[in-house]
Amino acid sequence: MSSIGRPALFVLLASLIQCFYVLAEEVNQETSDLVRMHDMGVVVAIGNFYLKQETLLAVRATLTNLGRDEKLGSDWMNTNTHWKKAEEMLVGFLMAEYKSEFQNLSWLYGLWGSLVLEKFDEAEVDYLMHHFQSDVGESQISIIDHQIASHVQNSFSLSGKFKFLSGTDDELKVYQRLFSESRNKAGFAIDNTENAAGQAFALSEIGKRYFVMSVLQVVGLINNRLYKLADKAQSKVSRYLVEIDPIIKQFKIQHL
């Protein structure tokens, strides 16, 4: 190859590489837009209920142990004003952490987008994006979202993970209200004359593949995240014990 041809080749290769990155960015952006079309409000509510429960269990166990270790006596119990104040403070710290670690869902959308890129090519992603923007597609994405929430709920409920503790009433009410609204929204007409397009997508290879991925693998991602966050509750509480030292000192002054 002549020396004159090499610069031109390098320019061509650089141009092709640049085009590849531009196309990759466009595909990634479309994939990101696709997964963010899903409304995970019910999932967030279920997660908040579960994480509030696990937080309360960890905080109450810690405060019980603290009472024993500090010899705080029989007045140190969950009906005592100082206990309540300490519990409220610790729960607030943990739930603030969980808000950034779970509620914003940035962690989920990234993993979900990776699943889409793994299982669907560029043309299929483009097709899904346009389909879910249609009236029929909007209804079907609501069905998928409700199925995801239902599977998360059922997996926690059937495994006995929900304890329904005092102190989780507000989170439970929000979760139950949103779940009911989601169920009412996720209707599906089985009459071919009413919903031929919807049934055609649901029964298509790409439709079934997207549904299975969402309901099985995405649910798995959500459950795994919640289990791991719940496992950290006890260690999180320990990091904040110094914050309740003034409350413990005040209790000792009044009761010991």
Side-chain angles (χ1 to χ4, degrees), residues 5-182:
R6 287 196 182 94
L9 178 60
F10 291 149
V11 170
L12 176 60
L13 289 174
S15 176
L16 289 174
I17 291 172
Q18 181 64 29
C19 287
F20 171 80
Y21 282 119
V22 169
L23 288 173
E25 288 177 3
E26 289 176 352
V27 172
N28 288 336
Q29 183 59 54
E30 190 166 43
T31 302
S32 177
D33 292 341
L34 171 63
V35 298
R36 288 177 182 275
M37 292 178 72
H38 289 272
D39 182 355
M40 293 288 100
V42 184
V43 167
V44 168
I46 294 172
N48 287 344
F49 171 63
Y50 175 66
L51 291 173
K52 179 68 172 295
Q53 166 194 288
E54 295 302 299
T55 293
L56 284 168
L57 288 170
V59 167
R60 289 168 182 172
T62 298
L63 292 178
T64 297
N65 293 336
L66 186 148
R68 182 195 63 234
D69 297 341
E70 295 288 328
K71 297 180 172 56
L72 299 182
S74 59
D75 288 336
W76 182 249
M77 62 182 71
N78 59 14
T79 57
N80 183 278
T81 302
H82 293 86
W83 172 300
K84 289 180 178 178
K85 189 180 296 185
E87 178 180 298
E88 182 179 355
M89 181 179 289
L90 292 173
V91 168
F93 284 131
L94 265 67
M95 292 306 292
E97 284 196 27
Y98 284 141
K99 183 175 182 178
S100 63
E101 293 172 335
F102 181 75
Q103 286 184 15
N104 64 24
L105 295 180
S106 58
W107 63 271
L108 175 60
Y109 289 130
L111 295 171
W112 195 338
S114 296
L115 280 177
V116 172
L117 288 174
E118 177 186 325
K119 296 182 178 299
F120 300 89
D121 61 30
E122 181 181 350
E124 290 174 326
V125 170
D126 187 65
Y127 168 77
L128 288 166
M129 186 70 181
H130 284 85
H131 174 73
F132 288 136
Q133 287 176 323
S134 68
D135 291 340
V136 171
E138 286 182 5
S139 295
Q140 289 180 311
I141 209 166
S142 296
I143 293 170
I144 293 172
D145 293 347
H146 183 68
Q147 286 299 314
I148 290 173
S150 294
H151 279 69
V152 171
Q153 172 189 255
N154 292 341
S155 61
F156 277 80
S157 181
L158 293 174
S159 61
K161 294 290 185 180
F162 289 155
K163 308 299 182 185
F164 301 99
L165 301 179
S166 63
T168 60
D169 296 352
D170 290 343
E171 288 76 15
L172 179 60
K173 287 177 182 177
V174 172
Y175 145 40
Q176 290 179 331
R177 175 177 59 79
L178 292 179
F179 189 88
S180 178
E181 292 174 359
S182 173

Side-chain angles (χ1 to χ4, degrees), residues 204-223:
S204 68
E205 190 276 335
I206 188 173
K208 288 187 286 188
R209 187 156 34 106
Y210 191 82
F211 182 86
V212 169
M213 178 204 71
S214 300
V215 172
L216 294 183
Q217 291 182 276
V218 174
V219 167
L221 293 174
I222 294 166
N223 288 357

